[in-house]
Amino acid sequence: MKRRNFVQYSGLAAGASCFAFKGFSMNPMPQIPFLRALAASGNPQDRVLVLIQLIGGNDGLNTFIPLDEYANLAKSRKNILIPEKEVLRLQGAPANGLHPVMTEVRDLYNEGLVSVVQNVGYPNQDYSHFRSIDIWMSASDSEKFVETGWLGRHLQGQYPTFPKGYPNAEMPDPLAIQIGSIVSLALMGDPTPMGFAVSDTESFYQFVNDVVEPAPNTPFGDELEYIRLISQQAQVYYEVIKKAAAKGKNISTKYPATDNPLADQLRIVAQLISGGLRTPVYIVTLDGFDSHSEQVDPSMGNAKGDHADLLGRLSVAIGAFQDDLKKLGLEDRVAGMTFSEFGRTITSNASLGTDHGAAAPLFVFGKKVIPGIIGDNPKIPDTTSGSDDVPMQHDFRSVYASTIQDWFGIPNPERVLQDKFPILPIFKKVTTSVNTTIADQLFQTSNYPNPFHNTTTIKFTVPNGERVIINLMDLNGRLIETMENKYYAAGTYQVTINMEALPAGNYLYQLLVGENGVVKKLMAF
């Protein structure tokens, strides 16, 4: 089993611990390079992104309702459609409305604090919950299987020694926190997982201590030393979060007292931010959106039922969180974003539900968003079949690209997403003075041929005079040999690696240019 899978599914993942705080499991993700850049010069205003995952596939047509298509909606989903007179109207948007329970989101929209991105999805929808979530987390094409996350892989090579040496005095805080027991694929690196989760917190912290007996000189011992290392890191992050929680506070009185797990999670996020934690990314979740049946309760009207309960919790939670941020003086620094793995079909079924669909609206909220609606209302045909979808207008990776560039101020988001996507007018731009020359040129590092037999040549550029180190590693990140270690003047170079003595297989090479670096794969045959 790969170390990534061993760590993730045995309840561990490198550099962060799941522990209980106010009844929730919390995963403090470590200082992966992308997140470190956010906390340093790449995130000059200490901006924070809170991702709200709506698990199950949210029905966008009953959430953000296209009123100009209402007549055709009534033909396709009469048994679940929200009565037109009950739809919440929006200032300056007569063709759109919100589910009646979303009064807090309506108010935030009318105050200029919400951006709605219409018809978000990806080409060639998969329709599987697990696969679609993986696609959103990895930012991959639907036909490609990628084991790294869109956050985890960016600039990973700039911290290629992780987890060794972390945390440290330069940045002691965890750089991402997921409230829940499983580390999201979005934060997975290659080959080392960038966070870990453990469900049995009591036994985990009994295991953690500063003095351990030497591990046996066996493959098991090697993995045991690795787990001990990341466990000791986690204890440090745990103490940091405890201190921030003790120092932080909540001011808003709008958080509900009971029956809203999302509001409880967001209350914790606000408390940690107010306590001085500089963590730039949080992930929270609300489950239950797989509404194949009983989406509405016809005995009480179509504006009531399971879906209404979920959207009500979402709206109340967002409203309370934004109110808290304002009163805490944090609203300039924090933005929130909802997402779900897919939407639902246009046509409802006989069980008062909807089936897996394609595109759906996505909400971004905060003081620094550009308010309004991005995109067109979906066109609803006069007649529909049970499998007809809302077509995609915006690739979700455009939302990611806009977040990376305009919210966090990191240019060239294609370095994360492995392709270029249009930038959407979601955020008021942040200026940055980051010099990305070295990072950009390292990202373009390549070796040829690959796959190769016996030898391959690595081509790289040194923008300024720097010491260059090239390490050959196995897929577990263990050093096999240092192939190069010397000073290079500014220029473009080629170094040939001879691997005749090694067996065929997959390897990694690590290129370090001064304090910057990149890790890429090699395949020998």
Side-chain angles (χ1 to χ4, degrees):
M1 178 182 287
K2 292 182 179 180
R3 177 178 283 180
R4 174 208 314 281
N5 296 333
F6 167 73
V7 174
Q8 184 180 18
Y9 295 110
S10 64
L12 300 170
S17 163
C18 167
F19 59 89
F21 177 54
K22 293 189 176 181
F24 287 93
S25 297
M26 300 186 67
N27 295 323
M29 305 303 170
Q31 304 172 77
I32 65 176
F34 171 77
L35 299 173
R36 178 176 180 268
L38 302 184
S41 58
N43 189 21
Q45 299 183 27
D46 283 336
R47 289 191 162 184
V48 177
L49 177 68
V50 181
L51 295 168
I52 302 174
Q53 183 180 3
L54 309 180
I55 300 175
N58 180 42
D59 180 11
L61 290 174
N62 264 19
T63 302
F64 192 65
I65 301 161
L67 293 171
D68 56 350
E69 297 290 323
Y70 194 88
N72 283 341
L73 282 174
K75 298 175 185 177
S76 299
R77 50 169 54 207
K78 183 176 182 180
N79 62 343
I80 68 165
L81 185 61
I82 306 302
E84 188 172 8
K85 64 181 181 181
E86 297 185 44
V87 174
L88 297 179
R89 304 306 170 111
L90 302 171
Q91 291 180 6
N96 299 92
L98 285 164
H99 192 288
V101 299
M102 301 184 72
T103 54
E104 294 82 5
V105 173
R106 185 270 316 272
D107 293 345
L108 291 175
Y109 182 93
N110 290 343
E111 293 171 22
L113 299 175
V114 176
S115 173
V116 185
V117 186
Q118 293 266 51
N119 313 315
V120 180
Y122 57 85
N124 303 314
Q125 176 63 239
D126 185 88
Y127 300 107
S128 161
H129 290 291
F130 299 107
R131 177 64 189 134
S132 194
I133 289 173
D134 280 356
I135 291 167
W136 274 79
M137 296 301 187
S138 64
S140 67
D141 294 335
S142 61
E143 68 274 12
K144 295 181 180 179
F145 289 82
V146 178
E147 294 184 346
T148 57
W150 69 284
L151 292 172
R153 64 176 173 264
H154 182 60
L155 301 179
Q156 181 182 8
Q158 294 187 24
Y159 254 0
T161 62
F162 178 85
K164 293 182 179 180
Y166 298 94
N168 55 44
E170 178 188 356
M171 184 57 66
D173 292 354
L175 276 254
I177 291 177
Q178 179 167 347
I179 300 181
S181 59
I182 299 297
V183 175
S184 165
L185 173 62
L187 291 152
M188 296 296 290
D190 184 8
T192 303
M194 297 300 183
F196 75 70
V198 57
S199 57
D200 186 349
T201 57
E202 181 178 355
S203 63
F204 171 73
Y205 283 109
Q206 288 175 349
F207 173 76
V208 176
N209 55 69
D210 293 329
V211 180
V212 295
E213 296 179 0
N217 186 22
T218 64
F220 169 78
D222 181 62
E223 298 299 337
L224 179 59
E225 284 190 338
Y226 178 79
I227 294 172
R228 285 173 175 172
L229 169 63
I230 59 178
S231 299
Q232 289 164 354
Q233 289 177 325
Q235 183 66 36
V236 177
Y237 292 129
Y238 176 59
E239 295 299 332
V240 167
I241 292 175
K242 281 178 61 179
K243 290 179 181 178
K247 183 180 178 182
K249 58 185 177 180
N250 301 108
I251 298 178
S252 178
T253 59
K254 295 184 178 181
Y255 291 108
T258 58
D259 196 30
N260 195 323
L262 178 60
D264 295 339
Q265 294 172 67
L266 290 176
R267 187 202 303 260
I268 292 171
V269 172
Q271 180 178 347
L272 293 176
I273 298 172
S274 73
L277 210 62
R278 295 180 62 197
T279 298
V281 176
Y282 293 82
I283 302 176
V284 297
T285 59
L286 181 61
D287 202 351
F289 286 87
D290 194 18
S291 53
H292 289 282
S293 63
E294 300 179 357
Q295 182 172 326
V296 302
D297 184 348
S299 68
M300 301 176 67
N302 285 359
K304 303 291 184 180
D306 291 347
H307 192 233
D309 291 343
L310 290 167
L311 292 180
R313 293 188 188 106
L314 173 66
S315 183
V316 167
I318 289 175
F321 181 61
Q322 192 62 36
D323 182 61
D324 212 8
L325 295 174
K326 181 178 180 179
K327 291 176 178 177
L328 290 165
L330 299 170
E331 61 178 342
D332 286 338
R333 292 180 48 213
V334 184
M337 179 191 299
T338 69
F339 73 98
S340 194
E341 62 262 37
F342 42 62
R344 315 298 294 187
T345 52
I346 296 173
T347 306
S348 58
N349 57 41
S351 300
L352 301 176
T354 48
D355 298 317
H356 297 180
L362 178 153
F363 297 89
V364 187
F365 60 92
K367 186 177 178 181
K368 295 298 185 180
V369 303
I370 299 172
I373 301 168
I374 299 172
D376 306 318
N377 279 347
K379 299 300 180 184
I380 308 301
D382 289 336
T383 58
T384 58
S385 67
S387 60
D388 281 351
D389 279 333
V390 172
M392 181 198 81
Q393 182 180 6
H394 296 112
D395 194 303
F396 72 97
R397 290 164 292 189
S398 280
V399 179
Y400 289 175
S402 307
T403 302
I404 294 165
Q405 176 175 296
D406 290 344
W407 178 245
F408 286 123
I410 298 178
N412 304 321
E414 59 270 17
R415 291 190 289 120
V416 180
L417 303 174
Q418 301 179 335
D419 202 351
K420 285 192 175 183
F421 295 92
I423 301 298
L424 303 175
I426 300 173
F427 298 102
K428 300 171 184 177
K429 294 182 180 180
V430 58
T431 58
T432 177
S433 59
V434 175
N435 184 343
T436 61
T437 301
I438 295 178
D440 290 343
Q441 292 179 344
L442 283 174
F443 181 75
Q444 296 171 13
T445 297
S446 63
N447 69 288
Y448 183 83
N450 193 19
F452 65 93
H453 184 64
N454 293 337
T455 63
T456 186
T457 298
I458 298 174
K459 184 178 180 179
F460 59 92
T461 298
V462 180
N464 303 298
E466 294 279 7
R467 177 164 292 277
V468 174
I469 299 173
I470 301 176
N471 291 323
L472 181 65
M473 303 182 296
D474 66 17
L475 288 182
N476 288 321
R478 289 182 286 246
L479 179 66
I480 297 173
E481 183 179 355
T482 297
M483 314 296 294
E484 193 81 353
N485 186 350
K486 68 178 186 180
Y487 179 87
Y488 280 79
T492 298
Y493 299 92
Q494 297 185 57
V495 172
T496 298
I497 295 178
N498 190 319
M499 295 180 61
E500 291 183 68
L502 294 175
N506 293 313
Y507 298 89
L508 302 170
Y509 70 89
Q510 174 191 67
L511 173 66
L512 297 170
V513 178
E515 295 182 353
N516 298 276
V518 68
V519 175
K520 294 200 172 185
K521 289 184 177 180
L522 294 169
M523 181 180 294
F525 65 90

